[in-house]
C-alpha cells in the first residue's frame, strides 16, 4: 500500500466524523438519573403513605406516577377536636404547665380524735381522706381512768393516760408511749384521773398532772423524769401548743403569762348556762398569748373537752367568730390557725380570725372529740 494513499484515506475518514460534545451528554445523563431517583423516592413515599392509611397503590413502570386508585366508596376522615385547657383564674392553684390542680386543704396536717365506747378508747389519726386507729385501750367500765385521761401531745407523737387502779377510778398509774406503738412506760403512780382535764401538755415533751393528794407534778415525758422545781399553786392550767404561754387561775383570777410578762383578764359566761356547770376554764391558748378559748367545767367526773367562746386577754372582750352552727370546740394550732369545730364540720380561721376555709368531717369522726392537730 502506498504510504501517501494511506494518509489521504485517513484524512478523508477524519473529515466524515462529527464532533461530539461530551459535556452536554454528561449533563443530560445526570438529569435523567435525577428524574429517575425522584420518581423512585416518590413511589417509596406513596407506598409508606398507603401502608399507613390502608390504601392500595399501583406503581407504574418506566418511572411513571401511580395509577389511579380503583373506584370505591368515598370516605371522609374528620380529625378529633383539639382539647383546650381553660386558663385558670388568679385565685386557682395551677401546676407549672398552667393546668388547673386541686387546691390544697386548709388543714393539710393530721387531726387526732378520741373515740370512746363502753369497753374501749381509740385514737384516730385523720389526714386527708385517711382515717387510721393509731392507739387503742381496753377497760372494764366507762367510769374508769383510761377513757377520761387518754391524751395526745400537740405534735401528735406521744400519747399518755392513767391506768385504772383499785380505788374505783379515782387515781392510777400514769403511762406514756409513742403513737402507733403498743409499748408504754410507767411514769408516776397515784395520779388523779378525775375532772375535765386531768393531764395537760406543756408543749409536746412536758406533761402536768396532779397526784391524788392534790400535789402538782411536771414530768418530762421524753426523758422519763420529773422536772425539778415547784410548779406553783395555779389551777386550771393550759398552755399554748409550743408550751410558751400559760393560762391559769391564781386566787380565783384568770391570767396569761410567759417568761417575761403576765396579765389578768376577766370573763363572764352566759347566765342561762352557768347554773349547770361548776365555772369555766381556758381550754386553748393562742401562740402569742393574746387569746384563749374557754369551756365549761363539769360538776362530775365526766370529761368535757368542748369550748364555746374566745376571749381577748388584752381587752377581756369576747371575739365574734365568723361562721354559723353550734360550736363544739375551739383550738389554737402551732402553725397559727384557729380550728373551730362545729356540729356540721370544721371552720378554719387565721390568727386574726379571718376565714381560710372549711373541712368536712366524715360521719364516723364528726361526733368524736378533737384532741390535737399536727401540721
Amino acid at each position: 500500500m502506498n504510504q501517501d494513499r494511506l494518509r489521504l484515506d485517513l484524512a478523508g475518514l477524519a473529515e466524515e466524523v462529527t464532533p461530539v460534545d461530551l459535556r452536554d451528554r454528561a449533563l443530560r445523563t445526570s438529569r435523567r438519573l435525577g428524574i429517575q431517583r425522584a420518581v423512585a423516592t416518590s413511589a417509596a413515599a406513596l407506598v409508606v403513605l398507603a401502608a399507613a392509611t390502608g390504601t392500595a397503590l399501583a406503581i407504574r413502570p418506566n418511572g411513571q406516577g401511580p395509577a389511579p386508585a380503583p373506584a370505591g366508596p368515598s370516605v371522609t376522615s374528620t380529625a378529633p377536636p383539639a382539647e383546650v385547657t381553660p386558663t385558670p383564674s388568679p385565685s386557682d392553684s395551677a401546676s407549672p404547665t398552667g393546668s388547673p390542680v386541686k387546691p390544697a386543704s386548709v388543714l393539710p396536717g393530721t387531726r387526732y380524735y378520741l373515740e370512746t365506747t363502753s369497753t374501749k378508747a381509740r385514737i384516730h389519726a385523720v389526714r386527708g381522706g385517711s382515717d387510721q386507729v393509731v392507739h387503742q385501750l381496753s377497760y372494764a367500765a366507762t367510769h374508769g381512768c383510761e377513757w377520761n385521761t387518754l391524751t395526745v401531745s400537740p405534735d401528735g407523737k406521744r400519747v399518755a393516760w392513767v391506768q385504772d387502779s383499785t380505788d374505783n377510778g379515782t387515781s392510777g398509774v400514769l403511762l406514756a408511749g409513742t403513737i402507733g406503738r403498743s409499748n408504754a412506760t410507767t411514769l408516776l403512780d397515784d395520779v388523779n384521773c378525775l375532772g375535765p382535764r386531768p393531764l395537760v401538755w406543756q408543749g409536746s415533751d412536758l406533761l402536768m398532772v396532779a397526784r391524788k393528794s392534790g400535789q402538782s407534778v411536771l414530768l418530762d415525758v421524753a426523758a422519763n423524769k420529773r422536772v425539778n422545781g415547784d410548779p406553783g399553786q395555779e389551777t386550771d392550767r393550759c398552755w399554748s401548743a409550743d408550751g410558751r404561754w400559760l393560762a391559769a387561775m391564781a386566787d380565783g383570777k384568770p391570767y396569761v403569762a410567759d417568761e417575761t410578762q403576765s396579765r389578768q383578764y376577766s370573763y363572764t359566761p352566759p347566765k342561762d348556762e352557768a347554773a349547770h356547770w361548776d365555772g369555766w376554764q381556758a381550754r386553748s391558748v393562742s401562740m402569742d398569748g393574746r387569746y384563749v378559748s374557754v369551756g365549761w367545767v363539769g360538776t362530775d367526773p365526766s370529761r368535757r373537752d368542748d369550748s364555746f367562746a374566745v376571749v381577748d386577754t388584752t381587752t377581756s372582750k369576747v371575739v365574734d367568730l365568723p361562721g354559723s352552727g353550734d360550736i363544739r370546740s375551739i383550738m389554737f394550732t402551732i402553725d397559727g390557725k384557729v380550728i373551730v369545730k362545729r356540729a356540721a364540720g370544721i371552720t378554719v380561721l387565721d390568727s386574726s380570725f379571718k376565714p381560710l376555709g372549711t373541712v368536712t368531717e366524715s360521719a364516723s369522726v364528726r361526733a368524736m372529740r378533737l384532741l390535737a392537730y399536727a401540721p
Side-chain angles (χ1 to χ4, degrees):
M1 179 178 292
N2 192 322
Q3 294 292 332
D4 294 335
R5 180 56 183 259
L6 178 60
R7 282 194 296 270
L8 289 174
D9 290 340
L10 291 175
L13 181 63
E15 290 176 356
E16 294 178 359
V17 176
T18 302
V20 177
D21 189 345
L22 296 178
R23 178 177 179 275
D24 292 341
R25 180 178 295 179
L27 289 177
R28 286 194 300 271
T29 302
S30 176
R31 282 196 296 269
R32 184 171 63 253
L33 291 175
I35 292 173
Q36 290 176 350
R37 291 193 191 100
V39 170
T41 302
S42 300
L46 288 172
V47 170
V48 173
L49 179 61
T53 59
T55 304
L57 295 177
I59 305 301
R60 301 179 67 183
N62 300 325
Q64 301 180 26
S74 176
V75 179
T76 302
S77 175
T78 303
E83 183 178 351
V84 179
T85 301
T87 302
S89 64
S91 60
D92 293 335
S93 299
S95 68
T97 60
S99 300
V101 297
K102 184 178 180 180
S105 171
V106 292
L107 285 180
T110 304
R111 309 190 305 275
Y112 294 90
Y113 292 84
L114 175 64
E115 174 197 6
T116 57
T117 69
S118 59
T119 59
K120 294 182 183 295
R122 302 183 183 94
I123 292 178
H124 292 246
V126 178
R127 186 184 184 95
S130 172
D131 179 356
Q132 182 180 4
V133 175
V134 292
H135 201 84
Q136 179 173 288
L137 295 176
S138 299
Y139 43 75
T142 55
H143 63 270
C145 287
E146 292 91 343
W147 74 278
N148 193 52
T149 58
L150 188 57
T151 182
V152 175
S153 61
D155 62 2
K157 295 181 179 180
R158 297 183 174 86
V159 61
W161 70 96
V162 177
Q163 188 74 38
D164 202 4
S165 63
T166 58
D167 58 357
N168 197 27
T170 301
S171 65
V173 177
L174 177 66
L175 302 175
T178 302
I179 284 286
R181 298 181 183 177
S182 58
N183 59 316
T185 302
T186 300
L187 297 178
L188 190 67
D189 60 3
D190 196 28
V191 175
N192 174 52
C193 59
L194 299 179
R197 290 171 62 88
L199 310 182
V200 182
W201 291 97
Q202 180 181 350
S204 295
D205 293 336
L206 305 182
L207 185 66
M208 175 72 72
V209 302
R211 308 198 79 164
K212 188 176 179 181
S213 62
Q215 177 192 15
S216 295
V217 179
L218 186 62
L219 298 165
D220 187 333
V221 178
N224 189 17
K225 66 179 182 179
R226 295 178 60 165
V227 176
N228 295 328
D230 183 0
Q233 300 303 313
E234 299 89 355
T235 60
D236 299 339
R237 297 179 183 89
C238 178
W239 277 274
S240 56
D242 61 355
R244 176 187 173 189
W245 281 91
L246 167 69
M249 291 275 190
D251 299 326
K253 297 179 180 180
Y255 74 95
V256 293
D258 66 359
E259 294 180 353
T260 62
Q261 56 186 310
S262 176
R263 60 175 173 269
Q264 291 185 347
Y265 67 96
S266 61
Y267 171 67
T268 303
K271 294 182 179 180
D272 57 344
E273 293 287 334
H276 300 289
W277 312 107
D278 189 21
W280 60 274
Q281 62 181 199
R283 297 293 173 85
S284 185
V285 186
S286 65
M287 297 298 291
D288 58 2
R290 177 173 177 177
Y291 301 99
V292 295
S293 65
V294 297
W296 296 114
V297 178
T299 57
D300 56 23
S302 66
R303 185 183 185 128
R304 292 199 58 85
D305 278 342
D306 60 327
S307 47
F308 54 85
V310 171
V311 181
D312 187 338
T313 63
T314 64
T315 63
S316 296
K317 293 182 179 180
V318 176
V319 177
D320 185 14
L321 298 176
S324 60
D326 295 336
I327 295 177
R328 301 287 177 81
S329 65
I330 305 166
M331 178 185 296
F332 295 96
T333 68
I334 198 168
D335 58 352
K337 295 184 177 69
V338 186
I339 299 178
V340 182
K341 180 173 167 57
R342 301 179 184 271
I346 289 177
T347 303
V348 185
L349 313 175
D350 65 10
S351 58
S352 61
F353 303 101
K354 294 180 180 178
L356 294 176
T358 59
V359 175
T360 302
E361 295 176 300
S362 65
S364 60
V365 303
R366 192 174 302 155
M368 299 179 192
R369 299 181 179 97
L370 181 62
L371 297 181
Y373 170 74

